[in-house]
Amino acid sequence: MPPPPKPPALVDPAGPAISLQTSEAVFDVAVALNACGYDNGLAESDPIREHIREQVNQTTQQSVDARDARFHLCEFIDQHRLAEAGRDLAQYISLALYLTPPPELSPSVETADLPPDSTQVENILPLLRTFVETIHLHAIWVENRPAYEQQIVQLHDPLTKMILDTNIYLKMPVSSYADERFLVVLEPMISPGETNARVYGADYVVVTSPVNGTIHMKEVRHTYLHYEIEPLLYARASAMDRLLPFLKTVRDAPLDFVYRSDIVSLVIESMIRAIEARTLQTGVAIPSIPTNTAHSELEPVYRERMAALQKDNAVREQLVGVDMAEGYVLTQYFYTQMASFEHTPTSLKESIGEMVYGMDVQQELGKLKNIHFVEEGSADIVRRAPVEPRGLDLAELDLVKGDAKMAGDLSETALKQHTADPARANFILARADLMSGKIDDAENAFRETIRLSSDPRMVAWAHIYLGRILDVEEKRDDAVAEYKSALTIRDSQPDTRNAAEKGVKQPFALPRHEAPDDTDDGDPPSKTQPPVAQTPSQMPQ
């Protein structure tokens, strides 16, 4: 097995299992983004964000060197901006978590051990260090540190209550995993609506923005449930093969790739969503029956209570229905199991084996025969840093590096040996063929992708690439038909629609030189990575 990801720089192996903290490195990166046009959620942010932005702006205006440093920093950020705002921020958060404190601001691990999305922006570090130094950002940090500490004080009790309440429900002790860490990092300089949750091996990190002592506790609790439940199920991962048939039922569901390919991940997420439904604060007031209620008055009071309980349960069941329709097909099963669990004295650690391995798989599969999935689902906020890439993951990285031959060879091997998703293998192979100038082969591979894939993003972009090929071949009517087909696919990413609409409006043209086309909408990998511009020999990726 490959080694697990190395921990972020702010993780103290000797520190507490659960902690609430700040990070000057994360602060520096967040300030840099704010100085370069990151305004997301500004109106909803804590006042400290606007205050620090004004301090930075005043300092910058007073120094030619500072303005020059900001110019080069912002130029880099503009050149590496991603179409989806959440992923654009995420790549910098991933990098910031692995930076040593200023003035060094250096990666705490080798580049090969950094989270993959962070390596796309690692070259910002020399520019960031210059910017931090010229505007004396450390002094601004020190001045505003008391306000950050006050946020920690205000959030300590609510966060502690959430953790205690969750563990009471699970009937498990807090901090029961000696080698795992759960960290909540507060950074008011990012949007309150953009909680970033990461899993790096045994380390669970949530970066969130407080507003007057409150945070989006739902997202933090979701990550904490991952922290508590994942070790229980990954310890039993080798015995879950009997549940593999459920993966066939979610082939057409709008799920992230990991949930359509890994049964353990699907089970974990379904169980977490079931727990969230069971513990949901529905807002329904459930009246109690006073002990001194007269017998003659008992019936109407009892009816009122039962009506409230039914209403409360209906809200929970509705949430379960949404989760099921999004593809988390074991949510209903675990919702029922958790209802029984609540009336037993045993902990989840003691009960989870029976829940999972006592499942009547055929019976549960039968309940899913007529399930209808929604066209667009909600992605899990928790992102897992992958271990050393292999197979098609490695082929994707080779493609990003411009090594078309290696990417193509790995994809062809996967197709011949039937060791990976054939649709994804064809999609990588098609783009490798484009980079190598094998246009006919690329066209055939894109059509195979469309035939085999149920991934909306992959299918949509295969149509877009076919449209570009046909435009270059001066088959405009056929090209427009491909772009329009892409528009009929329900891919939730804005870059897909932008690229398809652009193709409908005007024919695609090859660039006149080998430099990347800044106006191109980019190249979407087949998984969850954001579009990455490439420069193959005959056609942009």
Side-chain angles (χ1 to χ4, degrees):
M1 291 293 292
K6 294 185 178 180
L10 74 172
V11 172
D12 181 4
I18 299 173
S19 60
L20 175 64
Q21 62 190 80
T22 61
S23 163
E24 188 174 356
V26 174
F27 169 81
D28 287 355
V29 171
V31 167
L33 293 174
N34 275 263
C36 295
Y38 173 70
D39 297 333
N40 294 19
L42 185 59
E44 296 79 34
S45 293
D46 192 271
I48 190 65
R49 182 180 179 190
E50 189 66 69
H51 174 69
I52 292 173
R53 283 165 62 107
E54 183 59 30
Q55 286 184 295
V56 170
N57 186 55
Q58 290 180 2
T59 305
T60 305
Q61 294 304 317
Q62 295 168 5
S63 166
V64 173
D65 289 342
R67 291 197 297 274
D68 185 62
R70 183 176 65 176
F71 172 80
H72 292 296
L73 179 77
C74 296
E75 185 178 43
F76 179 94
I77 290 173
D78 287 341
Q79 291 174 352
H80 292 79
R81 200 175 300 281
L82 303 178
E84 185 186 347
R87 296 191 183 281
D88 190 39
L89 173 66
Q91 61 185 342
Y92 292 103
I93 294 296
S94 292
L95 179 63
L97 291 173
Y98 276 84
L99 294 183
T100 57
E104 290 81 8
L105 289 173
S106 299
S108 59
V109 298
E110 298 296 327
T111 297
D113 295 320
L114 284 171
D117 60 341
S118 71
T119 60
Q120 301 170 30
V121 293
E122 184 185 4
N123 289 337
I124 196 177
L125 293 180
L127 303 172
L128 177 65
R129 284 189 285 266
T130 301
F131 175 73
V132 169
E133 180 181 359
T134 56
I135 70 166
H136 307 292
L137 190 54
H138 178 67
I140 295 176
W141 164 256
V142 171
E143 180 182 341
N144 291 280
R145 183 69 185 271
Y148 274 56
E149 294 297 334
Q150 181 60 32
Q151 296 278 9
I152 288 181
V153 171
Q154 289 180 280
L155 278 167
H156 179 271
D157 288 350
L159 182 64
T160 300
K161 184 178 185 304
M162 180 277 288
I163 289 171
L164 289 174
D165 288 348
T166 302
N167 283 88
I168 288 171
Y169 180 81
L170 301 178
K171 304 168 194 171
M172 291 172 58
V174 178
S175 308
S176 57
Y177 305 124
D179 298 326
E180 296 194 351
R181 297 291 180 270
F182 179 77
L183 284 74
V184 178
V185 181
L186 302 185
E187 184 43 70
M189 297 303 291
I190 65 175
S191 169
E194 294 179 321
T195 301
N196 278 257
R198 301 282 192 279
V199 181
Y200 303 108
D203 302 302
Y204 295 69
V205 184
V206 184
V207 181
T208 186
S209 178
V211 180
N212 296 323
T214 64
I215 55 175
H216 285 200
M217 196 65 77
K218 178 183 177 182
E219 285 84 353
V220 178
R221 183 174 188 261
H222 185 87
T223 310
Y224 184 71
L225 284 168
H226 273 275
Y227 167 78
E228 286 289 356
I229 291 172
E230 284 187 358
L232 303 179
L233 287 174
Y234 277 121
R236 299 169 168 82
S238 60
M240 285 201 193
D241 287 353
R242 61 189 292 270
L243 306 183
L244 286 172
F246 286 105
L247 293 182
K248 296 180 180 179
T249 69
V250 298
R251 285 177 177 173
D252 298 326
L255 292 172
D256 287 344
F257 179 78
V258 64
Y259 299 119
R260 289 186 282 110
S261 60
D262 178 30
I263 187 59
V264 183
S265 295
L266 182 63
V267 169
I268 289 170
E269 189 64 19
S270 295
M271 180 177 288
I272 288 174
R273 289 177 179 245
I275 291 172
E276 289 173 332
R278 290 297 310 169
T279 56
L280 176 68
Q281 296 295 322
T282 64
V284 177
I286 301 176
S288 59
I289 301 177
T291 55
N292 59 348
T293 304
H295 183 74
S296 59
E297 299 175 356
L298 188 60
E299 185 177 347
V301 174
Y302 179 77
R303 282 202 307 268
E304 182 183 1
R305 176 177 170 81
M306 291 304 298
L309 287 171
Q310 290 175 359
K311 186 177 180 181
D312 177 80
N313 187 63
V315 176
R316 301 178 195 281
E317 289 282 1
Q318 183 179 22
L319 178 58
V320 171
V322 170
D323 292 330
M324 295 286 288
E326 289 185 354
Y328 303 103
V329 293
L330 290 169
T331 305
Q332 182 67 66
Y333 169 78
F334 285 121
Y335 181 82
T336 303
Q337 292 295 309
M338 295 308 299
S340 300
F341 163 79
E342 292 167 10
H343 295 91
T344 68
T346 56
S347 69
L348 183 66
K349 183 176 182 180
E350 298 169 307
S351 305
I352 200 166
E354 184 179 351
M355 283 188 195
V356 175
Y357 305 120
M359 182 192 307
D360 186 330
V361 174
Q362 292 305 316
Q363 179 178 326
E364 296 304 319
L365 286 170
K367 296 177 182 178
L368 301 176
K369 285 183 179 179
N370 298 318
I371 190 169
H372 295 286
F373 298 118
V374 294
E375 294 183 345
E376 296 182 18
S378 58
D380 187 9
I381 68 158
V382 177
R383 297 177 183 175
R384 187 172 300 278
V387 294
E388 181 180 346
R390 295 176 291 175
L392 293 184
D393 289 335
L394 190 58
E396 291 276 11
L397 289 179
D398 288 329
L399 202 61
V400 170
K401 295 174 183 176
D403 191 343
K405 184 179 186 306
M406 183 60 71
D409 289 347
L410 288 171
S411 300
E412 287 181 340
T413 298
L415 288 169
K416 290 176 182 177
Q417 297 180 355
H418 306 286
T419 56
D421 177 10
R424 185 183 176 210
N426 272 287
F427 190 54
I428 297 172
L429 182 60
R431 289 176 289 155
D433 286 339
L434 281 185
M435 294 178 72
S436 303
K438 304 174 184 177
I439 305 302
D440 290 341
D441 290 342
E443 184 173 354
N444 291 334
F446 280 130
R447 296 198 184 282
E448 274 296 283
T449 301
I450 293 170
R451 185 179 72 84
L452 295 170
S453 180
S454 59
D455 185 309
R457 185 164 177 77
M458 197 186 302
V459 173
W461 273 93
H463 280 297
I464 290 169
Y465 284 129
L466 284 173
R468 293 177 174 181
I469 291 172
L470 293 166
D471 264 336
V472 171
E473 295 174 346
E474 299 184 351
K475 300 176 182 177
R476 182 57 180 160
D477 290 344
D478 293 337
V480 171
E482 294 293 342
Y483 297 132
K484 288 183 176 179
S485 293
L487 288 170
T488 66
I489 307 298
R490 294 282 186 167
D491 174 32
S492 61
Q493 305 297 328
D495 59 298
T496 305
R497 176 166 292 277
N498 292 339
E501 289 177 345
K502 183 178 177 181
V504 171
K505 291 177 182 177
Q506 63 184 46
F508 175 81
L510 289 170
R512 296 180 181 178
H513 51 80
E514 291 295 313
D517 178 4
D518 291 337
T519 63
D520 186 58
D521 294 289
D523 169 25
S526 61
K527 294 179 73 177
T528 59
Q529 294 292 327
V532 179
Q534 296 287 333
T535 315
S537 58
Q538 294 193 26
M539 180 175 293
Q541 284 284 85

